[in-house]
């Protein structure tokens, strides 16, 4: 019954590797998001995406790319991982845009060795 | 940055007491939202208040918005140990195309 689910929950990998995090929502929402939460709990939006438009936060390195096979999925692919990428990544979804409540997954904790 | 700032950063109270946390932001908003984050979990939406609203209630939660002061407050009445969490405000800019979370308040409710 999980509304927004992310896998894996934990991801430990070496610097320089490429990895993906998967996200699925079963709420019928048309907008999905990716957030990064750092060690101080600061949350920053990375991407928002619906079937019409991808909005990228300009501060996000182009090593990060969202991929959406369909409306219910928004995966996050990261190339050439760096130490500074260590964080918790959250997927979220909403019905419509920012003026609607967002539903969050439980996060993926990414640790770069 | 538009990112909201919350105070206090941390708050510790006894069960049964009220908890108040504040959020200040910098530019005009379309709406402001409050979220709760339990340790190790994702954020949960609590309340959304629009720029033309001054106060909203949901159960033990009361949110106020003062657009002239660019600030909002979240009051949790009769707190419970289960309210222990981090609380974040989030603002949507007036144009509706940008979304920012505040810095968060860590609330501990002591049984």
């Amino acid at each position: 019954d999980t509304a927004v689910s992310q896998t894996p929950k934990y991801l430990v990998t070496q610097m320089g590797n490429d990895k993906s995090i998967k996200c699925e929502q079963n709420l019928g929402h048309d907008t999905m998001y990716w957030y990064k939460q750092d060690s101080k709990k600061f949350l920053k939006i990375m991407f928002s995406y619906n079937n019409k438009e991808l909005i990228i936060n300009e501060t996000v390195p182009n090593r990060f790319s969202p991929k959406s096979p369909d409306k219910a999925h928004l995966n996050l692919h990261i190339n050439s991982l760096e130490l500074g990428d260590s964080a918790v990544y959250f997927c979220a979804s909403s019905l419509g845009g920012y003026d609607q409540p967002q539903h969050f997954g439980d996060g993926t904790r990414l640790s770069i060795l | 940055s538009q990112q909201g700032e919350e105070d206090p950063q941390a708050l510790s109270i006894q069960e049964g007491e009220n908890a108040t946390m504040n959020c200040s932001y910098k530019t005009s908003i379309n709406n402001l939202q409050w979220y709760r984050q339990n340790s190790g979990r994702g954020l949960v939406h609590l309340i959304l208040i629009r720029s033309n609203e001054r106060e909203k209630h949901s159960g033990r939660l009361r949110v106020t918005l003062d657009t002239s002061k660019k600030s909002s407050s979240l009051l949790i009445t009769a707190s419970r140990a289960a309210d222990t969490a981090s609380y974040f405000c989030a603002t949507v800019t007036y144009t509706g195309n940008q979304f920012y979370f505040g810095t968060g308040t860590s609330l501990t409710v002591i049984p």
Side-chain angles (χ1 to χ4, degrees):
Chain A
D1 279 74
T2 305
V4 180
S5 59
Q6 306 178 217
T7 54
K9 189 171 176 66
Y10 300 96
L11 185 52
V12 181
T13 189
Q14 300 278 349
M15 208 164 49
N17 285 349
D18 302 340
K19 289 292 177 187
S20 292
I21 306 172
K22 294 185 177 180
C23 178
E24 176 182 3
Q25 54 95 5
N26 62 5
L27 296 167
H29 288 168
D30 50 17
T31 306
M32 297 184 73
Y33 312 84
W34 277 104
Y35 289 88
K36 179 180 181 181
Q37 186 173 44
D38 65 20
S39 58
K40 295 184 179 179
K41 290 195 172 181
F42 292 148
L43 274 155
K44 186 170 73 174
I45 189 165
M46 301 175 71
F47 306 100
S48 68
Y49 182 79
N50 61 27
N51 57 6
K52 297 176 185 175
E53 190 177 15
L54 170 66
I55 300 175
I56 302 171
N57 184 318
E58 61 187 15
T59 66
V60 175
N62 58 15
R63 298 181 295 103
F64 290 79
S65 57
K67 297 187 192 304
S68 180
D70 56 55
K71 203 173 96 163
H73 297 82
L74 185 65
N75 304 323
L76 181 64
H77 190 77
I78 315 168
N79 289 328
S80 303
L81 281 157
E82 300 178 356
L83 289 174
D85 297 334
S86 294
V88 182
Y89 292 84
F90 287 98
C91 176
S93 70
S94 68
L95 188 64
Y98 294 136
D99 63 341
Q100 298 297 321
Q102 295 181 32
H103 296 249
F104 281 75
D106 278 339
T108 295
R109 184 173 293 277
L110 174 62
S111 299
I112 310 300
L113 304 177
Chain B
S1 167
Q2 165 65 1
Q3 185 176 44
E5 292 199 5
E6 294 178 59
D7 79 277
Q9 284 189 330
L11 179 60
S12 183
I13 60 174
Q14 296 287 335
E15 202 166 30
E17 294 180 339
N18 295 343
T20 300
M21 48 207 90
N22 304 293
C23 170
S24 59
Y25 55 91
K26 294 181 181 174
T27 63
S28 296
I29 60 169
N30 174 291
N31 69 75
L32 185 144
Q33 303 172 33
W34 284 91
Y35 287 81
R36 183 187 75 233
Q37 183 180 29
N38 291 91
S39 180
R41 303 299 301 273
L43 284 79
V44 174
H45 182 265
L46 298 175
I47 288 184
L48 183 152
I49 186 165
R50 301 196 183 278
S51 59
N52 60 352
E53 297 175 308
R54 291 297 166 257
E55 188 171 311
K56 270 188 115 166
H57 297 253
S58 176
R60 294 183 296 112
L61 307 180
R62 173 179 166 243
V63 167
T64 61
L65 178 64
D66 187 334
T67 52
S68 66
K69 294 182 179 177
K70 293 187 169 58
S71 67
S72 174
S73 66
L74 170 66
L75 167 68
I76 304 174
T77 59
S79 63
R80 305 166 181 169
D83 295 329
T84 294
S86 292
Y87 291 82
F88 294 89
C89 66
T91 54
V92 178
T93 54
Y94 181 74
T95 53
N97 63 356
Q98 293 185 46
F99 185 84
Y100 299 97
F101 273 100
T103 49
T105 293
S106 176
L107 172 66
T108 302
V109 181
I110 303 165

